[in-house]
Amino acid sequence: MVSGGARAVARCDELGVAPYSDAPDMLFRAYLTPAFAAAQRAIAGWMIEAGMTTRIDAAANLVGRYEGLEPDAPPLIIGSHIDSVRDAGRYDGPLGVMLGIEAVAALHAAGRRMRFPIEIYAFGDEEGSRFATAMLTSRAVAGTLEPGMLDIADARGISLDEALAPFELSDLKFAEARHPGALAYLEAHIEQGPALEALGLPVGVVTGIAAQLRYIVTVTGVAGHAGTSAMTLRSDALAAAAEMVLAIERIAREDASDLVATVGRMEVAPGAPNVVPGKVVFTIDIRSGDQARRDRAAAAILTALRGIAAHRGTGFTSEQTNDLAASPCDPRLMDLLEAALVAQGVAPHRLVSGAGHDAMILAALCPTAMLFIRCAGGISHNPAEHADPADAEIALRVMLGFIERLDAL
Ligand SMILES: [Zn+2]
């Protein structure tokens, strides 16, 4: 008999190709596309097989429900997302949904019901790969949509409302997906990083989602002819920016913690081979599980960059474009998850998530917990993404142990 973990991985593989991908030669399943609808139909079938009833909510999330002994008790929500980035791996998102279904299937097969109902959410939009706003559908469930967030269109100019129409839904009712109140939220997700693999651990308990800061920096020098501007008289914006990038890297490395800082985009103007760069615009992304640490690093980085600009005689401005608070997981739920993990013979390890997840949105609705599953080479958002069926089986047993412990509270 195939284990639940192996079946969860096999189902992710099944969803990795047409008709569950909108592209013939790679996996790309964006929110509200034909491939998305096909995936929902397949997953709904698996939910029903596992003993659940299913519905599509007002934000086009697929929801499976397994009743509890106390039908009116607030449910445990287990969820993750089924949309993907372009040329995606198969496990980022769907594995958490499939493992939730397997957990219910195991309870159903054993004739077990908890005091509380269990709801499996297959969130529609987490990646933001179709519309510019990410995590739109978990925001609807958590009740944290903001004005204007639904006035969006995809690259082809199709509005959210038009994209919802084939699902017989409308942006006017989107916010009705708001959940009336949940006991807890549990999300299993591939780590998308190399920490568990390096430690030789199949799973780990997530302590929270990192606080994030983003800046846009503009460095201004003086553009000049590359052949006639003497080296000693130049104000080269790119050379200054290069020194700044290295300073950012050095400050983050010297912190020797979970702190990470990245320059991911840079525009050089005028951008010609024979012109000394007069202006450079680049982004900085700074993250840490500890908000104070993040803020200290950001201050140190900005001070260093100003110093470099002053020393080189270039102009320097910085604008903060993004400030996401850290989203800590619930300490009591972390303990339950860790106890379930230790019961499976796994050495306990806690780690922060550098990437955003639906769990950070659901934190506005109820206490949250996340379980990370080792992924090969820490690779994700890439077809080479791989999760081991044996690891998925351990994750499933940990989830079942968590459910049992939550029921015994
Ligand atoms: Zn994901």
Side-chain angles (χ1 to χ4, degrees):
M1 194 185 125
V2 181
S3 76
R7 184 165 68 173
V9 170
R11 283 175 171 175
C12 292
D13 291 337
E14 194 176 334
L15 294 175
V17 292
Y20 310 114
S21 169
D22 289 304
D25 51 347
M26 61 168 145
L27 171 55
F28 182 35
R29 185 170 52 243
Y31 182 42
L32 304 174
T33 62
F36 178 83
Q40 280 192 328
R41 282 192 293 275
I43 298 165
W46 296 331
M47 286 174 165
I48 290 164
E49 243 178 71
M52 287 181 262
T53 56
T54 65
R55 66 187 175 94
I56 304 284
D57 77 4
N61 296 308
L62 169 64
V63 188
R65 184 176 160 101
Y66 185 66
E67 294 300 335
L69 296 173
E70 298 168 13
D72 297 330
L76 164 66
I77 300 177
I78 302 176
S80 199
H81 60 97
I82 58 167
D83 67 327
S84 84
V85 295
R86 182 178 289 277
D87 204 12
R90 295 171 169 178
Y91 313 102
D92 173 357
L95 185 57
V97 178
M98 298 310 134
L99 286 172
I101 294 170
E102 291 300 336
V104 170
L107 294 172
H108 184 59
R112 289 287 315 278
R113 287 196 189 269
M114 305 294 122
R115 285 183 293 113
F116 46 81
I118 299 175
E119 292 181 350
I120 309 297
Y121 266 75
F123 288 111
D125 166 68
E126 193 268 354
E127 300 283 8
S129 51
R130 177 167 183 183
F131 299 98
T133 316
M135 306 201 193
L136 208 54
T137 56
S138 48
R139 280 179 196 278
V141 171
T144 57
L145 288 169
E146 283 165 25
M149 240 176 211
L150 303 180
D151 299 331
I152 43 176
D154 68 11
R156 290 183 187 167
I158 299 167
S159 71
L160 174 63
D161 194 48
E162 287 166 329
L164 286 164
F167 292 76
E168 295 175 10
L169 298 170
S170 153
D171 64 353
L172 294 174
K173 295 194 166 182
F174 200 83
E176 289 177 13
R178 182 171 191 161
H179 201 280
L183 172 65
Y185 175 77
L186 172 65
E187 180 165 359
H189 200 284
I190 58 164
E191 183 200 342
Q192 302 182 273
L196 292 173
E197 190 177 59
L199 292 162
L201 295 172
V203 291
V205 175
V206 178
T207 55
I209 291 160
Q212 183 185 335
L213 273 180
R214 274 201 194 143
Y215 294 90
I216 290 184
V217 168
T218 305
V219 184
T220 39
V222 179
H225 194 291
T228 60
S229 307
M231 293 310 290
T232 50
L233 299 175
R234 288 185 183 192
S235 175
D236 183 330
L238 181 57
E243 202 176 325
M244 292 177 185
V245 171
L246 293 177
I248 292 164
E249 185 191 44
R250 176 179 50 75
I251 290 166
R253 287 178 86 131
E254 281 175 3
D255 205 71
S257 67
D258 71 337
L259 182 92
V260 286
T262 307
V263 175
R265 201 179 71 208
M266 184 175 276
E267 286 150 25
V268 181
N274 60 347
V275 182
V276 176
K279 183 178 165 187
V280 172
V281 178
F282 65 87
T283 56
I284 315 175
D285 178 304
I286 307 170
R287 306 184 194 203
S288 168
D290 178 345
Q291 206 151 315
R293 181 181 286 281
R294 173 202 73 168
D295 293 346
R296 273 198 308 277
I301 283 170
L302 292 178
T303 302
L305 302 198
R306 267 185 226 108
I308 292 165
H311 183 245
R312 285 183 161 266
T314 60
F316 173 83
T317 60
S318 66
E319 184 197 344
Q320 187 181 296
T321 55
N322 213 343
D323 179 358
L324 276 180
S327 173
C329 291
D330 184 74
R332 196 183 51 146
L333 295 184
M334 278 194 277
D335 289 345
L336 291 189
L337 204 50
E338 189 163 280
L341 183 150
V342 169
Q344 292 304 318
V346 180
H349 180 69
R350 296 188 175 196
L351 67 173
V352 71
S353 173
H357 293 289
D358 290 305
M360 71 191 228
I361 304 295
L362 269 288
L365 178 74
C366 62
T368 59
M370 271 197 92
L371 182 70
F372 267 172
I373 302 164
R374 168 167 57 189
C375 65
I379 294 167
S380 73
H381 286 190
N382 184 309
E385 186 179 289
H386 179 73
D388 194 302
D391 290 353
E393 178 63 20
I394 292 171
L396 172 59
R397 290 181 188 179
V398 171
M399 291 166 79
L400 283 164
F402 173 87
I403 293 167
E404 297 282 356
R405 283 165 175 81
L406 190 64
D407 195 48
L409 280 184

